[in-house]
Amino acid sequence: MSLDSSTAAGEPIQTEVVIVGAGPCGLFQVFELGLLGIGAHVIDSLAHPGGQCTELYPDKPIYDIPALPVCGAQELVDRLMQQCKPFKPQFHLGQEVVQFSRRETRFSIGTAAGTRFDAGAVVIAAGVGSFQSRRIGIEGAEPFEGGGILYRVKNASALEGKRLVVFGGGDSALDWTLELAPRVRSMTLVHRRSEFRAAPASVAKMRELVAAGRMRCFEALPHSLTVADGTLTGVNIKTPDGAVHALEADHLLVFFGLHPKLGPIAEWGLELEKKALKVDTEKFQTSLPGVFAVGDINTYPGKKKLILSGFHEAALAAFAIQHHLYPQKRQFLQYTTTSPIMHQRLGVPD
Ligand SMILES: Cc1cc2nc3c(=O)[nH]c(=O)nc-3n(C[C@H](O)[C@H](O)[C@H](O)COP(=O)(O)OP(=O)(O)OC[C@H]3O[C@@H](n4cnc5c(N)ncnc54)[C@H](O)[C@@H]3O)c2cc1C
C-alpha cells in the first residue's frame, strides 16, 4: 500500500479505476474491486484516509457496523485500511480532484497538486464533499490568504523568528501553538471562548507557557486587519467586553476547522439531485456510463446515508465496473470462504 502525498509531474498515471474519496466507502470500494482482481488509485483532499470518521468523530463509537457490536470511528478506518492492504491501493492524499473529463472510453482526472490519471472507470466516493478550511471571515482578508494568513502549516521553518497570532481552540490550534512557541519571536493564541476543545494536556501546557510569560492567550474574536504598504502587520481582536486590542503579527494561523464543499464535482456534468449524484440501484452508476458513485455522495429512492449502505453499494458497483472494463468476461459470484483465486488475491494460503 502506498501513501503518497507528493505531486506527480509528467505522464498521467494509467489505472483501471480512480476512486475519488478515501472515506469508509472509498476504502471498501478498493477491497471489493481487489477481490475481482481490479486495481485502484485513491485520491483524497485530506492528508489522511477516513473521511468523516477520521475528520469529524474519530473517538466516537459506532454501533451499526455488521458483526462489530461497537467500533471506534478511527478503529473502523484502521480496519478498512488493513482489509484493503492486500490489493496494494495507491493513495494520493492532500490532493483535491479538480479536473474531470471523458476521452472516448477513458477518463482524465486531475488534482489541484498537478497529479493526472488516465482511468477506465471512476468511482466518486466523495461523501459530503471535500473538506475545506473555514476562513477567517474579516474584511480585506482574501489577498493575504496563503501568505500572511495561513489555514495550514506547510513549512514550519518559514515561520521561525516571526510574530504569530494563532486563532482557534481545537487540537490543530493548540498543537501548532505548542510546536511553534519556542521558535518564534512572539506567540499569541486567540480563542472565542475560555474553554478549549483541544486535548486537556495541550491546554495545560499552553497555560504553563502563558504563566511563564512565553506567550499570550486572549478570549476574543478577530475584528480587523492592520496593513501597511500592502503588507499585513497585525490584527485587531475584540474581547467579550467589546474592547478592541491591537496585536502585531507577521502571520495569522487560522484553525477554525473544516467544512465540506461539493466543489468541483458539481461541475462535471453529472446529473444531480439535492447536491447528490443520481445513481441506479443495480450498478450505482451515475448519468455518465463508467462513472459510479457510492456512499454519502449518491442518491436514489430510499437512500440512507449510512456506512453500511455504502458498503453494499461498493460491492455491487465493483461487479458493474468489472463488466464496464471487461464486457467479454463471464461474471459469476464467488465466496471469499472457498474461492482459490480470491485467496490468492488476498494472500491467504489455501
Ligand atoms: C458525528 C457523526 C456520527 C456518525 N455516526 C454514524 C454511525 O453511527 N453509523 C453510520 O453508519 N454512519 C454514521 N455517520 C455517517 C458516516 O460517517 C457517513 O455515512 C460516512 O462517512 C460516509 O462515507 P463516505 O466514504 O461516503 O464519505 P466521507 O466519509 O464523507 O468521505 C469522503 C471523502 O471524500 C473526500 N473528497 C470529497 N471531494 C473530493 C475531491 N473533489 N477531491 C478529493 N477528495 C474529495 C473528502 O475529503 C472525504 O475524505 C456519522 C456521521 C457523523 C458526522
Side-chain angles (χ1 to χ4, degrees), residues 20-26 43-46 50-53 56-57 62 64 95-97 125-131 264-265 294-296 305-308:
V20 182
C25 302
I43 312 166
D44 204 298
S45 50
L46 293 175
Q52 293 172 57
C53 294
L56 301 181
Y57 60 108
I62 305 177
D64 57 349
Q95 301 195 34
E96 187 181 18
V97 175
V128 280
S130 76
F131 288 98
I265 292 167
V294 299
D296 279 12
K305 289 189 180 183
L306 289 172
I307 295 166
L308 146 100

Side-chain angles (χ1 to χ4, degrees), residues 17-309:
V17 180
V18 159
I19 300 174
V20 182
C25 302
L27 295 180
F28 197 63
Q29 187 68 73
V30 173
F31 177 77
E32 286 294 324
L33 287 168
L35 282 181
L36 300 180
I38 299 170
H41 283 252
V42 187
I43 312 166
D44 204 298
S45 50
L46 293 175
H48 44 74
Q52 293 172 57
C53 294
T54 300
E55 197 55 43
L56 301 181
Y57 60 108
D59 302 323
K60 287 205 165 53
I62 305 177
Y63 299 98
D64 57 349
I65 303 298
L68 287 176
V70 55
C71 180
Q74 184 57 50
E75 182 194 346
L76 177 72
V77 172
D78 295 342
R79 285 172 179 270
L80 287 164
M81 288 292 282
Q82 193 189 343
Q83 193 174 24
C84 70
K85 203 172 171 183
F87 305 123
K88 300 184 179 65
Q90 305 268 315
F91 285 91
H92 306 269
L93 301 174
Q95 301 195 34
E96 187 181 18
V97 175
V98 290
Q99 181 265 321
F100 166 89
S101 59
R102 182 167 60 163
R103 284 189 297 111
E104 295 168 11
T105 58
R106 307 280 298 174
F107 297 97
S108 163
I109 298 275
T111 74
T115 314
R116 292 182 300 133
F117 301 84
D118 176 58
V122 178
V123 181
I124 304 178
V128 280
S130 76
F131 288 98
Q132 313 277 323
S133 302
R134 282 185 209 282
R135 321 247 304 261
I136 190 162
I138 50 178
E139 213 184 311
E142 206 177 325
F144 299 104
E145 288 174 329
I149 301 175
L150 299 171
Y151 296 105
R152 60 166 74 175
V153 178
K154 279 192 199 148
N155 179 8
S157 55
L159 300 173
E160 281 177 14
K162 305 279 187 191
R163 299 165 303 173
L164 299 190
V165 175
V166 176
F167 286 94
D171 283 317
S172 302
L174 269 286
D175 289 353
W176 279 115
T177 298
L178 297 177
E179 160 105 25
L180 294 168
R183 298 154 62 185
V184 297
R185 195 167 130 205
S186 72
M187 170 63 80
T188 308
L189 177 65
V190 180
H191 182 40
R192 66 192 160 91
R193 296 195 295 137
S194 53
E195 300 85 37
F196 288 82
R197 275 178 292 110
S202 307
V203 178
K205 210 161 171 206
M206 180 274 291
R207 294 207 195 282
E208 274 172 30
L209 291 180
V210 173
R214 290 167 57 195
M215 61 167 283
R216 294 182 298 170
C217 178
F218 290 95
E219 182 185 346
L221 291 168
H223 177 268
S224 51
L225 299 175
T226 48
V227 177
D229 298 329
T231 303
L232 182 80
T233 55
V235 61
N236 297 313
I237 55 168
K238 196 170 179 181
T239 49
D241 57 8
V244 174
H245 300 265
L247 301 175
E248 290 184 345
D250 301 305
H251 292 278
L252 313 182
L253 307 189
V254 181
F255 300 107
F256 287 164
L258 300 169
H259 69 102
K261 196 187 82 183
L262 187 57
I265 292 167
E267 279 125 50
W268 293 350
L270 305 169
E271 207 177 323
L272 288 164
E273 189 178 284
K274 290 189 188 151
K275 293 190 182 169
L277 295 169
K278 274 180 91 170
V279 291
D280 64 74
T281 51
E282 181 194 349
K283 300 175 178 170
F284 297 93
Q285 188 165 249
T286 65
S287 55
L288 187 59
V291 180
F292 300 79
V294 299
D296 279 12
I297 192 77
N298 75 14
T299 187
Y300 52 86
K303 168 73 184 181
K304 297 283 178 282
K305 289 189 180 183
L306 289 172
I307 295 166
L308 146 100
S309 315

Side-chain angles (χ1 to χ4, degrees), residues 306-336:
L306 289 172
I307 295 166
L308 146 100
S309 315
F311 287 174
H312 161 78
E313 294 158 15
L316 294 202
F319 282 99
I321 291 165
Q322 187 188 43
H323 182 69
H324 178 83
L325 294 175
Y326 308 106
Q328 313 303 338
K329 200 176 171 85
R330 263 189 59 224
Q331 269 193 347
F332 50 96
L333 185 74
Q334 297 188 73
Y335 293 130
T336 57

